[in-house]
Amino acid sequence: MTQFLIRLFIRQPDHAQDPKVRAAYGNLACWVGVACNLLLCLGKLTVGTLFGSIAIMADALNNLSDASSNVVSLVGFKLAGKAPDAEHPFGHARYEYLAGLVVSVTILGIGFSLLKESVVKVLHPTPVMFSWLTVAVLIASILVKLWMSGFNRTIGRIIGSETLIATAADSRNDVLSTSAVLIAAVLCRVTGWDVLDGLMGVGVAAFILISGWGLVMDTLSPLLGESPSEDLVDHIEQKVLSYPGVLGMHDLMVHDYGPGHQFASLHVELPAEQDPLEAHDLIDNIERDFLKNDRLLVTIHYDPIVTSDAAVGVLRARLTEKLRQLDPALSLHDLRIVPGRTHTNVLFDLVLPAGYAGDKVELLAQLEQFIKEQDAAYSCIIKVEQSYTAAHK
């Protein structure tokens, strides 16, 4: 069914990174969600009202909130598709993250409302009438929500949408909560313990609250400026280092302005002996490669590395090994040796992972002592920097 809907409503489905195609995917997912959730809500409201089940009524309201969340997501995709303007030159794609956050907060709101109603039902149980119609509606809801979870997850992965991934998780939660309601309805019938209806509602509410909080954290993270994914960092490194003559790269920063709107800057190390015009042309080629094939706007800074000085190479290798022993997350770059009349300056940039918990003063002292051990004439000048990518596991 998912592939049928994609073929029916999406033109050029293989071009998911195209903004118009991406918006079409998002709109399809949202409209399908609105239609399914409204139908489920009406069915459960009818059954819950007829047979006096607070758990079924709560499940119906949960579907109604899902429909409203789909509308919010629809608005988010619409606003995210706006072209850049003078006030927002990086575009408006972060609206999609905001939409995902609204969906997550709505889930929390429904969880609190359900918890309140369920506690009241536990304290003051009321009879729950059993009906095979109730069973049929709940089973149908479970099957529909199972399909919706897979549907939203598939489209969310195709277009890289945190909003749809959150919606898929919510649909999965609905499967569990509706299953719990179904179990409660059967147990109330078998045992005659009407309090089970309220207890099951409390359990469902707790599950929704825990899941909702996790979704809030997931959708809030990119808005706060999370580290780029390890896959993206590896892809950038592999592509840059695949070009002949590139000795290394560092100082990678990735700025996320919404799905499909990422910008990166980095430093590329090239031999200092290379013709500057050739080095500049190589950098231009790398930047164009990223823009054409990854839709990633990359700005590259050129760092010349002296390769003819054997002493630099030896010291770099020894320092790199020393850092690996101290902490594998540490790294260095831009190592230079500058001889003088009375002493020789050793200069380099030391890169610490974000949130480094070690003693920086002690670390610098150990490195200065290590460099002195290599040559008594060496005087150490270290510039400390922070890494803006997560350390590889």
Side-chain angles (χ1 to χ4, degrees):
M1 177 62 77
T2 298
Q3 294 303 320
F4 171 75
L5 291 174
I6 289 174
R7 290 194 300 270
L8 185 62
F9 292 102
I10 307 297
R11 295 182 179 179
Q12 298 180 315
D14 294 333
H15 296 76
Q17 296 308 311
D18 182 277
K20 292 183 179 179
V21 176
R22 191 176 187 282
Y25 269 109
N27 292 337
L28 171 63
C30 293
W31 282 118
V32 168
V34 169
C36 291
N37 282 310
L38 285 179
L39 289 174
L40 292 176
C41 176
L42 291 174
K44 291 177 185 177
L45 276 177
T46 301
V47 171
T49 303
L50 289 175
F51 302 105
S53 171
I54 183 63
I56 295 177
M57 292 288 287
D59 212 29
L61 293 178
N62 187 27
N63 290 138
L64 183 60
S65 75
D66 290 343
S68 64
S69 297
N70 293 139
V71 174
V72 171
S73 300
L74 191 64
V75 174
F77 278 111
K78 180 68 175 178
L79 294 176
K82 291 176 60 179
D85 54 35
E87 294 181 349
H88 305 92
F90 296 104
H92 301 80
R94 279 183 175 170
Y95 271 122
E96 187 175 330
Y97 292 154
L98 290 173
L101 184 59
V102 171
V103 171
S104 303
V105 172
T106 302
I107 293 171
L108 282 179
I110 291 298
F112 281 116
S113 177
L114 174 56
L115 180 62
K116 177 184 176 182
E117 296 296 327
S118 299
V119 169
V120 171
K121 189 66 179 286
V122 171
L123 297 176
H124 307 285
T126 56
V128 178
M129 298 175 61
F130 180 82
S131 167
W132 288 111
L133 176 61
T134 300
V135 174
V137 169
L138 293 178
I139 290 176
S141 175
I142 291 171
L143 295 176
V144 171
K145 281 295 185 175
L146 272 175
W147 175 78
M148 289 179 65
S149 178
F151 174 72
N152 284 296
R153 183 169 56 251
T154 297
I155 294 185
R157 288 175 176 173
I158 289 174
I159 65 176
S161 171
E162 289 294 333
T163 299
L164 293 183
I165 295 298
T167 302
D170 185 39
S171 295
R172 178 205 62 205
N173 295 344
D174 290 344
V175 170
L176 297 176
S177 63
T178 303
S179 298
V181 172
L182 176 60
I183 292 172
V186 173
L187 289 178
C188 286
R189 169 67 173 179
V190 173
T191 65
W193 297 344
D194 294 326
V195 72
L196 290 176
D197 185 54
L199 289 174
M200 193 61 75
V202 170
V204 171
F207 181 81
I208 290 175
L209 287 172
I210 294 172
S211 176
W213 180 250
L215 292 174
V216 167
M217 292 295 98
D218 289 342
T219 53
L220 190 60
S221 186
L223 287 171
L224 293 177
E226 65 181 355
S227 298
S229 69
E230 186 172 321
D231 288 341
L232 178 60
V233 173
D234 286 340
H235 174 70
I236 292 174
E237 289 181 349
Q238 291 173 13
K239 176 168 286 192
V240 170
L241 297 178
S242 70
Y243 277 80
V246 174
L247 302 176
M249 62 162 281
H250 56 267
D251 286 351
L252 172 63
M253 296 183 185
V254 179
H255 304 277
D256 189 343
Y257 289 90
H261 291 71
Q262 290 181 314
F263 301 81
S265 62
L266 57 95
H267 290 217
V268 166
E269 298 171 356
L270 297 171
E273 300 80 10
Q274 184 176 0
D275 186 311
L277 293 179
E278 292 181 1
H280 189 274
D281 185 61
L282 175 62
I283 289 174
D284 283 344
N285 290 337
I286 299 174
E287 291 176 341
R288 282 193 291 267
D289 187 352
F290 278 111
L291 186 59
K292 178 181 179 182
N293 297 305
D294 301 289
R295 298 180 64 85
L296 182 63
L297 184 60
V298 176
T299 302
I300 298 178
H301 175 81
Y302 165 43
D303 274 352
I305 301 296
V306 176
T307 59
S308 57
D309 189 342
V312 173
V314 171
L315 183 57
R316 181 187 294 109
R318 291 178 179 175
L319 263 176
T320 299
E321 176 59 23
K322 178 65 176 178
L323 290 176
R324 189 192 65 79
Q325 294 173 2
L326 293 173
D327 188 335
L330 301 174
S331 63
L332 66 90
H333 59 81
D334 288 346
L335 174 66
R336 290 173 290 151
I337 298 178
V338 183
R341 295 182 61 183
T342 59
H343 63 278
T344 297
N345 284 332
V346 174
L347 307 93
F348 63 90
D349 294 347
L350 174 65
V351 184
L352 306 180
Y356 180 69
D359 188 331
K360 296 180 184 178
V361 175
E362 176 64 22
L363 174 62
L364 293 177
Q366 290 186 53
L367 292 177
E368 290 175 1
Q369 178 62 32
F370 177 77
I371 289 173
K372 274 289 186 184
E373 292 172 358
Q374 310 308 305
D375 191 320
Y378 282 166
S379 178
C380 191
I381 301 176
I382 304 175
K383 177 185 175 184
V384 179
E385 296 181 349
Q386 174 188 304
S387 172
Y388 292 91
T389 60
H392 289 202
K393 297 178 181 180

